[in-house]
Amino acid sequence: MSLKEGLEKTGRDVKDSAKEVKHRLIAEGERTKRDVLGDDMPLGEKAKSAVNELKNRGAAEIDKSKRELRDKAER
């Protein structure tokens, strides 16, 4: 791998890592919101929050998978 390719891969890895962390923080925020508000949160809001949590956890796993695939392809 050339220096240019290595720098490009590193850049993509950093970008995907940052996106993964962002998605995981949002997912945890949704979980915490439901835990804190508990029964005070209307059922519709709870459902929407749960969907947002799942969506963000999925997006985080996709970002993680992209990095892992790049690492495997490099070998």
Side-chain angles (χ1 to χ4, degrees):
M1 177 184 315
S2 72
L3 178 60
K4 180 181 176 184
E5 290 170 334
L7 290 174
E8 288 172 352
K9 179 192 174 295
T10 300
R12 289 189 301 267
D13 284 349
V14 168
K15 181 180 174 184
D16 286 335
S17 293
K19 287 170 54 178
E20 178 187 355
V21 168
K22 179 183 116 182
H23 288 299
R24 291 196 191 283
L25 287 172
I26 292 170
E28 281 303 312
E30 291 292 344
R31 168 66 61 144
T32 301
K33 180 169 57 172
R34 289 193 315 277
D35 289 346
V36 168
L37 294 177
D39 293 333
D40 292 337
M41 189 177 219
L43 185 59
E45 279 187 44
K46 277 186 185 181
K48 184 178 177 183
S49 175
V51 168
N52 283 336
E53 178 187 357
L54 288 174
K55 178 184 74 172
N56 280 288
R57 288 197 191 282
E61 288 302 316
I62 289 170
D63 292 328
K64 179 181 174 184
S65 296
K66 285 194 269 183
R67 283 194 334 274
E68 290 173 347
L69 284 173
R70 271 195 298 273
D71 289 344
K72 286 181 182 178
E74 181 182 288
R75 293 178 194 170

